[in-house]
């Protein structure tokens, strides 16, 4: 199916956004003494976003659009190198808390990008993914806020 510029931009921006979320999940999963609810959430994020990355890459291939270099583009909610180092260096409850705080911001950025896609996209499959991201990540934010309140 045809894609407009909003569809292409959504996929090109969401791929590195999802890749960072998977990286953050892997970081926290590699640590000891992480709250079991955070472990479950990190596993859920990794399981959902890995296949979505592959799907979006296949769309870009189908559309004949190379990924290109996304450096310098504004991806809402992306963590800085400093943020990522802080998560890498954190341990125990602090690592659980930092993961949740960072992932809430990360998800909020993804939801904003997905809302832009729903408003301006053309491809029904891309819009459906964006709607799914809005629904699932809104639910995950609620869960993360509930966990944070108990740490």
């Amino acid at each position: 199916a045809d894609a407009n510029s909003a569809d292409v931009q959504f996929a090109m921006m969401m791929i590195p956004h999802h890749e960072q979320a998977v990286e953050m999940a892997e970081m926290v999963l590699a640590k000891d003494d992480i709250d079991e609810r955070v472990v479950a959430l990190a596993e859920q994020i990794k399981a959902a976003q890995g296949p979505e990355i592959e799907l979006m890459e296949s769309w870009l291939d189908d559309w004949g659009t190379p990924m290109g270099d996304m450096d310098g583009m504004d991806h809402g909610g992306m963590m800085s190198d400093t943020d990522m180092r802080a998560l890498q260096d954190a341990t125990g409850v602090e690592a659980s808390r930092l993961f949740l705080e960072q992932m809430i911001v990360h998800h909020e950025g993804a939801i904003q990008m997905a809302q832009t896609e729903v408003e301006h996209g053309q491809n029904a499959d891309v819009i459906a993914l964006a709607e799914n991201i809005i629904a699932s990540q809104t639910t995950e934010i609620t869960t993360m806020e509930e966990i944070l309140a108990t740490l």
Side-chain angles (χ1 to χ4, degrees):
D2 286 341
N4 67 12
S5 62
D7 298 321
V8 172
Q9 181 159 354
F10 174 75
M12 291 179 85
M13 289 176 61
M14 195 58 78
I15 289 168
H17 200 270
H18 270 23
E19 287 171 344
Q20 187 178 62
V22 170
E23 182 182 355
M24 292 166 68
E26 288 172 344
M27 267 188 214
V28 83
L29 290 170
K31 295 178 182 296
D32 296 323
D33 302 323
I34 298 300
D35 186 286
E36 63 192 29
R37 298 165 299 171
V38 174
V39 169
L41 190 65
E43 289 171 344
Q44 177 182 319
I45 289 168
K46 190 175 168 185
Q49 295 194 17
E52 289 175 356
I53 291 167
E54 292 175 14
L55 178 61
M56 290 183 284
E57 288 173 339
S58 74
W59 289 338
L60 291 176
D61 286 345
D62 291 347
W63 302 331
T65 308
M67 184 62 200
D69 183 6
M70 299 304 288
D71 286 348
M73 289 197 68
D74 180 25
H75 305 71
M78 289 286 282
M79 296 297 109
S80 68
D81 290 343
T82 303
D83 294 330
M84 294 297 280
R85 266 194 306 282
L87 181 59
Q88 181 66 49
D89 294 345
T91 57
V93 173
E94 181 56 28
S96 294
R97 183 178 292 113
L98 194 55
F99 174 79
L100 294 170
E101 290 169 352
Q102 289 181 348
M103 194 59 74
I104 288 169
V105 171
H106 206 265
H107 274 19
E108 288 169 347
I111 289 167
Q112 287 176 336
M113 288 190 285
Q115 287 170 333
T116 299
E117 168 59 23
V118 169
E119 292 167 16
H120 301 289
Q122 166 183 314
N123 184 293
D125 293 333
V126 182
I127 293 169
L129 175 62
E131 289 171 339
N132 181 58
I133 287 170
I134 292 167
S136 64
Q137 294 197 13
T138 298
T139 300
E140 287 174 354
I141 287 171
T142 301
T143 301
M144 290 186 278
E145 289 171 338
E146 290 168 357
I147 297 168
L148 260 177
T150 67
L151 289 180

